[in-house]
Every structure is written in structure tokens, then in C-alpha cells.
Amino acid sequence: MGKNKQIILWKCIIACFLVMASMAVCAQNVQRIEFCDKKYEYGVGNDQITLFFRVIDGDRKRNQEMSAEELQNYLVIKEDGNIIPLSDCKIEALKSGQRIPADYTFSVLVDKSISQEGKERIFEAVGHLVESAPDGCVYLSFFGDEVTNSVPVNAESYKAMKEEMMKPAANKYFYGAIYAKLAEFNTASAEMENLVKQQTGYQKNSDIAKRAQLHKDKNILFVFTDSRVRPQDESIGFIEVTDFQNDRNHLMPKVYALYYTGNGEDENVKAILQGISQVRDSTGTVVAERSGAYKPSDNMSTVMTEFEQAVKDAMYDYAFTYKATPGKIYHGHVAYQAEWKGTNVGEGDYSIGTAENPWPSHEETGSDTVMKYIIAVLVALLTMAFFFLIMKVLIPWVKSKSFNAKYYKKYVPEANVNRRICHFCKQDIQPGQLVVVKCRHIMHVPCWKANGYKCAEYGQNCKEGIQDHIEWKSLFSAASLRDCYQTFAGILAGLFSWVIFELTGRGLFRGLAEIIVNAGFTNDEQRSNLFGDCVNKTAAFLSIGLLLGFFLSLIFRYFDEYRNKNWKIYLKIFGLSLLSALIGMLAFALGAYIFCVLLSAVNTTYIPWYCSLPAYLLFSICLSLSLTIKSTIPMKSALLGGLCSAVIGFVVLYFSSISGSKYGWMSMLLDFIIYGGGLGASLVTVRMLAEKFFLAIQNGIKANQRIPIHKWMKVGNKVSIGMTGECEIQMNWEKSNKVAKEHVQLYVDTAKQLPMIKALAPGVFYNSRFELVVGKAAVLSNGDTFTVGDTIFKYEEN
Ligand SMILES: [Zn+2]
Ligand SMILES: [Zn+2]
């Protein structure tokens, strides 16, 4: 190796070392990464997530000077514990025009007497501020011949302000304008407000004070002025303005005074601008947290740079943008972790997507869509099978086993009894043989089973000797399936609702949702981060309420209707279902409001699962109650059934989203069908357990129909049976003209506490033996029958 080459090599090594050393020095400086905000958008093709953050260096100072490359070299961000690959991410140092936190309030006050060309440039610069700030952060006003109102501006409405701004002014009412704008940050009215030369109809914008209260350190007043026109003599002067500022009771924005001195410098103006931008206490020391800056320049470009720097101070410093993890469906809470050279330097929790509307969505081809609906139908069928297994196999099996444990006993000879005879085979029962001791009619276990798992006397002298068991042979019979019809109906209604939910973009009524969120969401700190998710969730809520309310009501009411259905009855079912839809939607609207209030109160950076729970419970309770209107369902059954199914549906929704199916729509489908099926099943179960009184029709086209009359069989209440719609049971299926308008009454006697029957017209045959005397009551016992017209009713008690 030649000497020259050696020198070059050494030079290279030293250079490399120096570069590495300098990088190491910079790199060591990061102490903390502060996550500030996140950004992502719903919709097809949007699968980029941006995290905004700031870098805090070793001296605990905000470091805005670090280059994106430096950060890229050492910063690792983990999403839910998994490293986001370098190839999928991009780090940017933010420039103005990119992102300002929503907690800031900017009041921009512009001097109309500035030259037209100057105002053009100010207008443009303020435009950048407006574009990078979330809506509602920036207020614009002018002064000159008079002080104008502070108008909230966004990227759209801002343009309309230009005409007003470009109007020239002959005067400059300067001190009053500043005084008025400072006063606007306070709710209480300022002493000298009335002395300000205001535009006609001037109004203090009360929103500014409201916002300012929430983040007292994030309020800024920008004042643009020059010296082309001299200030007028005013009753408010320098002393009045600074006195107002110095008062500790007043909330003060930081003032940035941007003074273009190209047209000469006015000492008065300079003094007051210096005075108000540097607030001093009684000893003359500058109060840093209340002070902005005085920035004079005879170069308009410098003035603009100063302005942009002040805006930049309020901004997030860096953005970390990455491609959403392929195949991952975001359903809500995502935890981020920042590592600097392997050390944990910061954490952030954000919500991405919601359980109701997972993110990202992708373009579906026609075959994808077909596949989706086929899978959905299969899932619905599987859910039906699942419910069927639970209701027809699992529950009877558990009941049967517990019955065995309780009532199958080895026979022990009793004192004073010398022989026991089996009530079925009439043989002696020997000590040690297995017997069933459910009722007093003791039987051998094999005899008990041979008799169909019941006592030989059951139905005549015995009311309790029966065991639940699985009838394998008749498991798939029509009768067995019929027991599950309400559950299947609920699942079908859930499936229909879900299909429409999908087809309508998972959430209609976005406008209404925004109004609700605006009313309930009071936490401005969360606003820029969570507002969009809340609107999305609320829109989904409203749709769910409407759809499930309508379809579940439609299908349950259809099956609850024991009468012959004519167009009037169909119309009634339809109308009442619309009512349920409205109630469901209102319940979810209120639920969404509660959700927003709750979310504002817990003050998290993401949406915790429990914030949504009240909305689902409220919806379910209201929907179940709406189902009791003009139906046979009693309130208690509805409430219990509704609560059970709401909890089941909610658990399914949130747990299936945690488990992370690759089909984003799956959790919502499961929620819809399991909620529907659960509501059907729990209504049936609760009724079976809690309700006592039924009328079973024995003959004719309505044979096997069981009408629950529990709702009306209460003391002081009655069930009337007859031809008119006034009756609780309207016999519109009777073709004979033997039925009166109101023919029979059933009720519970107050004194005897017994169910009674009273004929109101002749021809009521009691237990097919004798005719009831009109107007005279008779006791009604379990199993009694009576005829009205040609229909035989059997009274049943559970
Ligand atoms: Zn026997
Ligand atoms: Zn018995």
C-alpha cells in the first residue's frame, strides 16, 4: 500500500469516526418523545396512520432542530408491541402549514391602514395559519376607522374575509382595538369596553373566552400594524391597556406584536407594542408565561417569518407516518411505544377505527362482496345451530344431570313401611335399587325412564314428577325446531339489519351525529384526536338503533300475533315496528350523548370500551320496552330479556374485535345476530321461567297456538275474549257467528287470589261438561278447557 493511499485511508477512518461521534452526541440528547396527536381517515384506500410528536432533549427542552434523518436512524416506534418496519415509515420535521393542536386559540387583529400590498401578504400568511389549525381555533378581526367583530375562520370561510380586509381606513383607533381584543379572552366585561370605537352592531365573541378558559396557556393575540396612518386620540391609552393586562384576575393571551416599520416608526406605537407583548409585574420584572414578543422590522418578509415562527412554536414538531400493518384490522385502542437506541422514551394510546366501523376499509371486488354475504349467511346458520344446541341439548342435559344427582337415590327401607311398590311396574322395590324420589310416587329408575322420564301419575294426581331430558329421536322434529323459532327469527332480523348496515356505509345520519357529539363532547383536549371517531361511532349507533329496532320488532311482532293476519294487522305490525325503530334510534342518540360525556370525563387519548356500554344497554332496554307496546310481552320479561341480550351482544362485539378477525365486518355481524338471537332466546326463557298464565288453542287452524296472558292476569286486571279489537284476545279467526263482541272474561279474584272465568254471553262450555251461567264466575284451574264459538281454549299454568 502506497503512503498516499495510507493517508487517504486514515483520513477516511477519522472522518467516519467524527461523523459517528457527532451522530452519537446528537443521538444521546433525546430524553423523551411526547406523542401529541394521531391522524387517519376512514374510507377506501386510506391506510396510512400519522403520529405527531415532539422531541424533548437531555436538558428537558423541546428540540425542534433535529433532522428527520437523525430521528429515522435511532427512533423505533412500536404499535401494540410490534416494531413498525423502517421500510414502511417516514419521519418528517413539520413546517408551518401542517398541524396545530386544537387547544390553541388565535385571535388575529389586522390594521386596515396597512398598505394594500402589505395586507395581501398578511392575508396569505394568515391563510397558512388557518389551513394548519383545526376548525374553531382562529378568529380574525380588523381595526381602522372602527374595530370589527372577531369572526371564526376556517380554510373555506377565510376567503370571504378578504374583501373586508382590503378596505382602506382613514383613521387608526389603535389602543381601543387592542383593549377590545384582550377583553374578549375574558367572560366578564371590561371596564372601558364601551369607550372602544366599535363597528355598528359590534359583539364580543363569547366563544373565545370559553375556549381560552380551558387552556389558559394556549391563547395568542397576533397584532399586525404599521405606521402609515397615525393613531387617533382615544380615551383608552397605553396605561389603560397595560393596567388591564397586569390585573391578575384577567385571563391574558400572549401578544405577538408584528410591526412593519417600513413606513416609519411611531414611538407611541412602539412603546405600546413593547408594553403589551412583555407583561411586567409591579416590580417591573417580565412575567414570562404572560408574554409574547415584539417583532418590528422594516422588511415585510421578516415580519412574515416572525409570524410563522410564532405559529410554529404552537405546532407539533414531527410527524411519523406509516402504512397500516397489512392484514390488521383496527377496532379501537392501539398502544404506541417510542424507543430511542433501545430505551423506552415515550408512550401514547390512541383509538384507530371503532368496533362498529373497523379501519381500514378496502375496495371490494364483486366476488369479494358475494363472498362476504355468503359467509355472513353461513355464520348466521352456524349461530342458529349454536343456539339450538344450547337450548335443546346443553341446557336440558345440564338440567337432567342435576336432576339425576338430586333425585336418583338408592332405596333405603323406611321405618313403619314394610313394602313399597313401584308405581309403574307394580313390583316391590328392593333395598339398594335405584329409585326416583322427585314426588311421593316412588319408581324404579328404569321404569321412570321407560315412562318417558316422568311419574306414572303425572298429569292426574302428580304435578311435579317430571324430568328434563334430551329426546334424541325427536330432537330435529318440527315441534323441537318450533320451540326455537323466536331465536331463529331474532338471528334473521339481525342478519337483515347487518346487510343494510353494510350497504349504507356503516352509519347514516352523519349530520345528526355531529350535532350530538358537539353537544356531549366537552373536552377540548381530546377534540382534534377523537372528534372524528366519536362522530363515526355515533353515526353507527344511530343506524344500529334504527335497523335493529325495526327488524327485531317486525319479526317478533309477526310471531307474537296469534290472530289471523289481514292487511289492517300487517299495517299495525309495520307501524309499531317503525315506532320501535324510532325509539331504538332515540335511545342510541341519548346513548351516544352519554358516551361523549363519559369520554370527556375520563379524558383518555383513546376510546375505552366501557364508554360505549351504557349506549348499548340503554338501547336494549328501550327496544325491549317498545316491544311490550300492544303485544303479549310483559314489561318485566322484556326488561330482563333485553338486559341479558345486550350484555351478551356487547361482550361478543368487543371480544371478537380484540381477537382480531381478518374480516373487519365480522364483529358487527356477530353482534347483530347474537343480539337478535339472544333477545329472542332470553325473551322465551324469561317467559318460561317467570310467566305463569297461558291459553292454548286446542282445535281448528290455530291449534297448538299458545297465547301468553300473563301480562293481563294481575289483580285488578282482566283478559277479555271476543270478536272486537277492544278484547285482549280478538278471535278474528272464528268463522261462526256464535262469538259475541266480548264473550268471556278471565281475571284473578282479589279476595280468593284465584284465577276466575266469567261468561258474558251464552254458549261457553266448561271442561266440555256444562255450560257456564252468564254473568256468574267459576274458578279456573290448570288444565281446564272452555269453548268460545267453535274454538276450544285450554287454560295452562306453568
Ligand atoms: Zn318399576
Ligand atoms: Zn308423582
Coordinates of all heavy atoms in Angstrom, one line a residue, residues 421-429 433 442-448, ligand 1:
I421 N -94.2 -50.3 46.6 CA -94.5 -50.8 45.2 C -94.2 -49.7 44.2 O -94.6 -48.6 44.4 CB -95.9 -51.3 45.1 CG1 -96.1 -52.5 46.0 CG2 -96.3 -51.6 43.7 CD1 -97.5 -53.0 46.2
C422 N -93.5 -50.1 43.1 CA -93.2 -49.2 42.1 C -94.5 -48.8 41.4 O -95.3 -49.7 41.0 CB -92.2 -49.8 41.1 SG -92.0 -48.9 39.6
H423 N -94.7 -47.5 41.2 CA -96.0 -47.0 40.6 C -96.1 -47.4 39.1 O -97.2 -47.2 38.5 CB -96.2 -45.5 40.8 CG -96.6 -45.2 42.1 ND1 -97.9 -44.9 42.4 CD2 -96.0 -45.1 43.3 CE1 -98.1 -44.6 43.7 NE2 -96.9 -44.8 44.3
F424 N -95.0 -47.9 38.5 CA -95.1 -48.2 37.1 C -95.2 -49.7 36.9 O -96.2 -50.1 36.2 CB -93.8 -47.6 36.4 CG -93.8 -47.7 34.9 CD1 -94.7 -46.9 34.1 CD2 -93.1 -48.7 34.2 CE1 -94.7 -47.0 32.8 CE2 -93.1 -48.8 32.9 CZ -93.9 -47.9 32.1
C425 N -94.2 -50.5 37.4 CA -94.3 -51.9 37.2 C -95.0 -52.7 38.2 O -95.2 -53.9 38.1 CB -92.8 -52.5 37.0 SG -91.9 -52.3 38.5
K426 N -95.4 -52.0 39.3 CA -96.2 -52.6 40.4 C -95.4 -53.7 41.1 O -96.0 -54.5 41.8 CB -97.6 -53.2 39.9 CG -98.4 -52.2 39.0 CD -98.9 -51.1 39.8 CE -99.7 -50.1 38.9 NZ -99.8 -48.8 39.4
Q427 N -94.1 -53.8 41.0 CA -93.3 -54.7 41.7 C -92.8 -54.1 43.0 O -92.7 -52.9 43.1 CB -92.1 -55.1 40.8 CG -92.3 -55.5 39.4 CD -92.5 -57.0 39.2 OE1 -91.8 -57.8 39.8 NE2 -93.6 -57.4 38.5
D428 N -92.3 -55.0 43.9 CA -91.7 -54.5 45.1 C -90.4 -53.8 44.8 O -89.7 -54.2 44.0 CB -91.5 -55.6 46.1 CG -92.7 -56.0 46.9 OD1 -93.8 -55.3 46.6 OD2 -92.7 -56.9 47.7
I429 N -90.2 -52.7 45.6 CA -88.9 -52.1 45.5 C -88.0 -52.6 46.5 O -88.3 -52.7 47.7 CB -89.0 -50.5 45.7 CG1 -89.9 -50.0 44.5 CG2 -87.6 -49.8 45.7 CD1 -90.2 -48.5 44.7
Q433 N -82.0 -50.7 45.4 CA -82.3 -50.5 44.0 C -82.3 -48.9 43.8 O -82.7 -48.2 44.7 CB -83.7 -51.1 43.6 CG -83.6 -52.6 43.4 CD -85.0 -53.1 43.0 OE1 -86.0 -52.7 43.5 NE2 -85.0 -54.1 42.1
I442 N -92.9 -43.2 44.4 CA -91.5 -43.7 44.1 C -91.5 -44.7 43.0 O -92.4 -45.6 42.9 CB -90.9 -44.2 45.4 CG1 -90.8 -43.1 46.4 CG2 -89.6 -44.9 45.1 CD1 -90.2 -43.5 47.7
M443 N -90.6 -44.6 42.1 CA -90.5 -45.5 40.9 C -89.1 -46.0 40.7 O -88.1 -45.3 41.1 CB -91.0 -44.8 39.7 CG -92.5 -44.8 39.5 SD -92.9 -43.5 38.2 CE -92.3 -44.3 36.8
H444 N -88.9 -47.2 40.1 CA -87.5 -47.6 39.7 C -87.0 -46.7 38.6 O -87.8 -46.2 37.8 CB -87.6 -49.0 39.1 CG -88.0 -50.1 40.0 ND1 -89.2 -50.8 39.9 CD2 -87.3 -50.6 41.1 CE1 -89.2 -51.7 40.9 NE2 -88.1 -51.6 41.6
V445 N -85.7 -46.5 38.6 CA -85.1 -45.6 37.6 C -85.4 -46.1 36.2 O -85.9 -45.3 35.3 CB -83.6 -45.4 37.8 CG1 -83.0 -44.8 36.6 CG2 -83.4 -44.4 39.0
P446 N -85.2 -47.4 35.9 CA -85.6 -47.9 34.5 C -87.0 -47.7 34.2 O -87.4 -47.4 33.1 CB -85.2 -49.4 34.6 CG -84.3 -49.5 35.7 CD -84.7 -48.5 36.7
C447 N -87.9 -47.9 35.2 CA -89.3 -47.7 34.9 C -89.6 -46.2 34.6 O -90.4 -45.9 33.8 CB -90.2 -48.1 36.2 SG -90.0 -49.9 36.5
W448 N -89.0 -45.3 35.4 CA -89.1 -43.9 35.2 C -88.7 -43.5 33.8 O -89.5 -42.7 33.1 CB -88.2 -43.2 36.3 CG -88.0 -41.7 36.1 CD1 -87.0 -41.1 35.5 CD2 -88.8 -40.7 36.7 NE1 -87.2 -39.7 35.6 CE2 -88.3 -39.5 36.4 CE3 -90.0 -40.7 37.6 CZ2 -88.8 -38.2 36.8 CZ3 -90.5 -39.5 38.0 CH2 -89.9 -38.3 37.6
Ligands
ZN1 ZN -90.7 -50.4 38.4

